[in-house]
Amino acid sequence: MKKNYSFTLILESTFDATEGIEDALYESGCSDGLVWTRNGFVFLDFTREAVSMEEAVSSAIQNIEGSRIGLSVGGIAPAPLVTQSMIAERLGVSREAVRLWSTGRRGRAAFPAPVTISGKGTAYWDWLSILRWRAAEGDSIPDEEIEKAETLSRISNKLISRRHAQVAG
């Protein structure tokens, strides 16, 4: 059974979205993608009908990269790595609640450790780990949310690996 899946793909190159890009994307099968730019980056918002999140995202990437103008997907959103503010927003709680969880002052189970910290000290967590932690805390996390987080994390890792291979090669 097909469902609608929403996600955003980020193009590898920075340039302004022009009519030529929009036309090429439309012709390559992205009639369900909305093109927008910010700070020179091109984003495509999709609501794509498919059997699974994996199929929806994979087919969109194939459509984009099969366009006649040689576009390449570099990233995906919602991001699999999240800050405290992003966690609060996605879970519908205050940033203070997330801070208390992350310092062990609230919650029964141990809050996941951050997966990385930026040079400015901003911590980033894996969204899938956060969802699993919330489930362990007793929140009812829909299976489709776990599936979406697993899929986005897996695809994001593939895109990152591909980019590193291109840079190395």
Side-chain angles (χ1 to χ4, degrees), residues 21-36:
I21 291 172
E22 290 172 345
D23 291 343
L25 288 168
Y26 185 86
E27 291 166 10
S28 70
C30 295
S31 60
D32 55 346
L34 174 66
V35 180
W36 57 282

Side-chain angles (χ1 to χ4, degrees), residues 83-126:
T83 63
Q84 283 186 359
S85 294
M86 294 165 78
I87 294 167
E89 181 180 329
R90 289 187 190 185
L91 292 178
V93 300
S94 70
R95 190 172 182 285
E96 179 64 7
V98 177
R99 188 187 70 75
L100 292 171
W101 291 334
S102 71
T103 59
R105 294 184 184 158
R106 263 199 203 155
R108 295 178 304 277
F111 193 78
V115 294
T116 191
I117 298 176
S118 75
K120 293 185 178 184
T122 302
Y124 291 86
W125 285 265
D126 174 62

